[in-house]
Amino acid sequence: MSTTLLQELQGELRRLYIAGSDLAADDFRLKRIEPKFAQLGERAPVFKKLAEGLAELTGPSEAEARASKLQDVSLLLNSVLSTQGATAAEGLKEEKLQESGLTDLTTAHSYRQLAEVQNALSTSGGGRYEIVTTAHRDGLFRDLRLFPFAMKALNDPYAELADYAVRYILPSYGPVIVPYLLAGLDIQGGREQERRLEVIRKLGVDAEDARTLNLLVKAAEEGSDKVRAAAIACLGSHPDFEDRLIEWSLDKKKPVREGALAALAVRNSEAARDRIYEAFTGKDAMPAAEAVGAAPAAEMLERLIPLYAEKLRQEYTGEEDRKSKDKLWSELEPFTVAFRYAKHTELERLYLDLGANQSDYPALGRLDYAERFRTLSQAAGYLKESDTEEALEVLYALEEQSPDFLPYAFHATKSRRSPAELYDRYAGSGRGLLRTAVSKKAQAIQKKLIETLHGEIHVYENYVRRRLPQETIETQWDPRWLDWVIDRNDLELVSGLAAPGHPKLLPYLEKQIENTSNSYYEHYIFVALDAGGYDEETKYELLMRWMENRDWKKVYSIYHGETERLIRIPARFAAEAADRLEPLIVHMRFENLKETMQEVVHSLRKKAASDE
């Protein structure tokens, strides 16, 4: 089958967009096409879904439902056409959709759920990153209609969003998308093509897939520098290419050498390790370190750890100047890169000794503060995950040396001591009891403690910061922390630690509502109210006071969370809420804000009427 039928359907749907969705009822053209899609649906579920959509579109329904169904069918069709276009150059026709594995995806979500994501990946501007990451976390990209947009994200103008697609979205589809990634590959291209190959590297290539391997070799030999490097890096798990990888690791072009070293680190044969070690101790120390850091094999670490200890213990008798310091750091920095994710008993022993006996490592004392801290903080980061008393004591010594090491010791204490012991050590005595620290050192410690609490209480999931579950807060954190953060007026931490039954919580939040007009704080205030277990009437009244206390002449927009809370007001309060919100509209300067509030008021009046 060709794309003729799909294109014919696209023309008919375009006609209905112009003429109006009401004309779709019993439309003979759509009814003529529907059986053809149903027949194709016996081989590929996506066509069955299109047939079902056409049946609903032409059948009896209300006008609003028919318009929504027209949008659903159009979005599914456009997604299929986009997928077909991306693969046509490599011969992946419609009849091979089922073989591609993409038919395992669903088409269960509504157009409204997908439209926001589709728009975010088709435009530019702020706020798109959170829309996409939230959609991925909620599983929306398992919908077939978003697959073309996931592919499109590889060339998104916002680099962080494109990189997120490389790290999370596209790998989640599995190896079945490798042909799609290669189908549109321009071996003379730039960053987008490099990203395609990075995804392939993550997914891996079957040793029996000669066609894909040949394409990768072609890109490795004939592509642009970036494409060559990325393609070479995909070949590390295939022993047949080891000699070629070693040859490429000696190429005159640095990006090519980098890709080859990355592949050799994955290869991890004796010959590969010898070549990496040679590069590490030569002019390519940093590319070799990056390669080891991405694939830290135990055999390679066992060769590098003693070398690192030797460098750190090295005495220096020459004149201390900027040049000598820079040279020293250029020798030590590759080790910090190579050991970023490494785990090895010998490395732990080195870090324990380095933290406890710094004077035994003269090179450490010669470094500037930033480089010295980076070296020691890497050791501290390793030790905080080591479940031993010796590691904890070393962290306490580092913490005493500088408040900058407090987060590592705090985290380790939290994982090895009771919640009460954690509180007693950091807030229950001495400087921790002071609401306002006096000395500079005490101020630095308290500031670092507050920063550390933020990192421990609010966790990051796919780059989005979220509050810990209530059960976790109540079982893993001493309730005295809530008093401590209320006394220091840190609303974010109060929101994170809020729990039912605390006498200071409600008065504190009421004060915040009276004194705060910044919309940014709304989320934290009402999350804390929810966590505090207060009744619906209390939360309703405080929400109304929040809205009434704001200076609407200075407000540019209303957050989505605010409108959601307003619309969710219980029906028994809806009429009163509408009466209190409507007068606020007159004070609003911006039309979009007025329209939003009018919609909220309308929804509340509708809810109140239906409740009667």
Side-chain angles (χ1 to χ4, degrees):
M1 169 191 166
S2 69
T3 58
T4 304
L5 184 60
L6 293 171
Q7 291 169 349
E8 181 182 355
L9 177 57
Q10 187 179 47
E12 297 301 335
L13 295 180
R14 188 180 295 116
R15 170 177 62 82
L16 289 173
Y17 267 112
I18 296 170
S21 60
D22 286 344
L23 297 181
D26 296 318
D27 185 281
F28 77 94
R29 295 179 182 176
L30 294 181
K31 283 182 171 291
R32 176 177 57 81
I33 295 174
E34 180 194 331
K36 297 179 182 180
F37 279 101
Q39 184 179 3
L40 290 170
E42 296 175 3
R43 290 184 294 168
V46 66
F47 295 117
K48 181 180 179 182
K49 191 71 177 178
L50 281 170
E52 292 170 351
L54 288 174
E56 293 179 32
L57 186 59
T58 57
S61 65
E62 296 181 0
E64 185 176 343
R66 197 183 307 280
S68 177
K69 181 52 63 178
L70 175 61
Q71 291 177 323
D72 287 344
V73 174
S74 296
L75 181 57
L76 177 57
L77 174 63
N78 288 333
S79 299
V80 173
L81 284 169
S82 297
T83 304
Q84 294 303 99
T87 61
E90 294 298 327
L92 292 178
K93 304 300 184 182
E94 289 92 330
E95 59 267 25
K96 293 189 178 180
L97 271 176
Q98 192 165 16
E99 296 175 16
S100 74
L102 290 176
T103 49
D104 290 340
L105 303 179
T106 70
T107 53
H109 297 94
S110 70
Y111 172 77
R112 289 179 177 82
Q113 288 177 292
L114 304 182
E116 186 178 35
V117 189
Q118 178 187 5
N119 185 60
L121 289 171
S122 304
T123 59
S124 58
R128 299 185 304 122
Y129 184 85
E130 185 169 352
I131 290 171
V132 172
T133 54
T134 301
H136 177 250
R137 188 181 61 253
D138 294 344
L140 264 64
F141 280 94
R142 300 308 300 169
D143 193 295
L144 174 65
R145 292 165 291 178
L146 283 188
F147 174 67
F149 296 95
M151 292 285 289
K152 188 176 182 179
L154 291 169
N155 195 34
D156 196 275
Y158 184 48
E160 287 193 32
L161 203 158
D163 291 341
Y164 182 88
V166 170
R167 286 193 296 270
Y168 300 105
I169 298 175
L170 288 166
S172 71
Y173 291 109
V176 294
I177 71 165
V178 169
Y180 291 86
L181 293 163
L182 286 173
L185 182 68
D186 174 8
I187 65 173
Q188 297 302 323
R191 185 68 181 112
E192 179 189 355
Q193 313 308 317
E194 187 182 9
R195 290 189 181 109
R196 286 174 179 263
L197 291 164
E198 287 173 5
V199 178
I200 292 172
R201 181 185 176 191
K202 285 177 176 291
L203 294 173
V205 178
D206 192 323
E208 303 300 319
D209 188 354
R211 180 174 171 277
T212 294
L213 290 173
N214 289 336
L215 285 171
L216 291 173
V217 171
K218 180 180 174 64
E221 292 175 336
E222 302 175 15
S224 63
D225 289 353
K226 286 188 175 182
V227 169
R228 286 189 68 194
I232 289 168
C234 295
L235 299 171
S237 58
H238 301 281
D240 293 345
F241 298 101
E242 184 171 287
D243 291 341
R244 299 289 301 278
L245 292 173
I246 292 174
E247 179 185 338
W248 281 323
S249 75
L250 297 166
D251 195 277
K252 64 181 180 179
K253 292 184 176 180
K254 185 179 178 181
V256 175
R257 299 198 304 273
E258 290 174 346
L261 289 169
L264 286 169
V266 173
R267 183 84 206 95
N268 193 34
S269 66
E270 185 176 357
R273 292 194 295 272
D274 287 343
R275 176 65 194 111
I276 292 172
Y277 189 85
E278 180 185 26
F280 196 97
T281 54
K283 66 175 184 178
D284 281 334
M286 194 55 76
E290 293 282 359
V292 175
E299 298 89 342
M300 195 71 235
L301 295 175
E302 286 163 9
R303 297 182 68 171
L304 294 179
I305 293 168
L307 185 60
Y308 188 31
E310 180 185 330
K311 294 279 186 185
L312 287 168
R313 291 182 183 276
Q314 189 173 314
E315 297 279 359
Y316 181 72
T317 56
E319 184 178 347
E320 197 69 83
D321 55 17
R322 182 75 269 153
K323 186 176 180 180
S324 67
K325 285 177 175 287
D326 289 344
K327 182 176 183 298
L328 174 62
W329 181 240
S330 70
E331 294 175 358
L332 294 177
E333 186 181 16
F335 292 98
T336 66
V337 173
F339 298 154
R340 278 179 302 190
Y341 308 112
K343 292 294 180 184
H344 198 284
T345 54
E346 291 301 318
L347 187 60
E348 181 170 346
R349 290 193 188 96
L350 174 59
Y351 284 154
L352 284 168
D353 197 47
L354 182 65
N357 304 296
Q358 295 174 34
S359 60
D360 292 344
Y361 298 88
L364 190 65
R366 291 177 52 212
L367 295 173
D368 289 336
Y369 180 81
E371 288 78 16
R372 186 167 179 269
F373 175 71
R374 178 173 165 183
T375 304
L376 287 172
S377 66
Q378 187 173 58
Y382 189 105
L383 295 176
K384 80 173 184 178
E385 304 299 336
S386 176
D387 191 18
T388 67
E389 288 299 312
E390 185 182 5
L392 190 57
E393 291 304 317
V394 170
L395 290 173
Y396 287 156
L398 288 171
E399 179 187 63
E400 189 61 32
Q401 180 180 317
S402 169
D404 288 333
F405 294 105
L406 186 147
Y408 304 102
F410 186 97
H411 181 87
T413 305
K414 180 175 176 293
S415 64
R416 297 168 213 174
R417 299 286 188 265
S418 70
E421 289 173 313
L422 177 72
Y423 179 84
D424 288 339
R425 175 176 175 81
Y426 286 97
S429 60
R431 292 174 297 221
L433 288 174
L434 297 174
R435 293 192 185 186
T436 305
V438 180
S439 69
K440 287 186 178 180
K441 184 176 181 180
Q443 290 173 354
I445 290 172
Q446 189 163 120
K447 180 181 178 182
K448 186 59 67 173
L449 177 55
I450 289 172
E451 289 176 7
T452 303
L453 286 169
H454 278 284
E456 293 283 344
I457 289 169
H458 294 102
V459 295
Y460 285 87
E461 295 177 359
N462 294 338
Y463 296 90
V464 178
R465 194 161 85 167
R466 303 196 175 278
R467 186 181 190 270
L468 291 173
Q470 191 65 34
E471 181 183 358
T472 302
I473 292 295
E474 294 179 20
T475 58
Q476 296 185 9
W477 291 86
D478 190 290
R480 292 173 292 175
W481 280 113
L482 184 52
D483 282 300
W484 195 86
V485 296
I486 286 175
D487 289 342
R488 283 149 188 81
N489 193 26
D490 192 307
L491 178 58
E492 290 186 37
L493 288 179
V494 170
S495 174
L497 289 163
H502 195 282
K504 288 185 179 180
L505 181 58
L506 186 59
Y508 174 80
L509 296 174
E510 289 175 331
K511 185 177 179 181
Q512 292 295 314
I513 287 172
E514 295 298 326
N515 298 336
T516 303
S517 60
N518 190 333
S519 299
Y520 171 77
Y521 296 109
E522 176 269 343
H523 170 75
Y524 295 107
I525 291 171
F526 290 98
V527 164
L529 280 168
D530 290 340
Y534 298 106
D535 58 64
E536 286 184 341
E537 185 172 359
T538 299
K539 290 194 285 187
Y540 159 70
E541 180 56 35
L542 291 180
L543 178 58
M544 287 296 98
R545 278 200 268 170
W546 167 262
M547 302 302 292
E548 291 166 342
N549 286 344
R550 298 181 65 187
D551 185 352
W552 290 102
K553 292 180 181 178
K554 297 179 180 179
V555 175
Y556 291 87
S557 62
I558 185 167
Y559 284 149
H560 179 70
E562 290 178 279
T563 56
E564 284 292 309
R565 287 185 183 279
L566 291 170
I567 291 170
R568 291 201 307 266
I569 286 174
R572 60 195 174 104
F573 303 125
E576 180 189 307
D579 290 341
R580 293 173 69 172
L581 291 171
E582 195 165 31
L584 304 178
I585 298 174
V586 112
H587 301 293
M588 297 176 180
R589 292 175 56 192
F590 301 97
E591 288 303 316
N592 66 315
L593 192 57
K594 290 182 179 180
E595 290 173 7
T596 300
M597 191 59 76
Q598 284 167 348
E599 289 175 5
V600 169
V601 169
H602 175 73
S603 296
L604 289 171
R605 293 205 187 284
K606 189 175 179 181
K607 180 186 285 190
S610 63
D611 188 53
E612 293 174 359

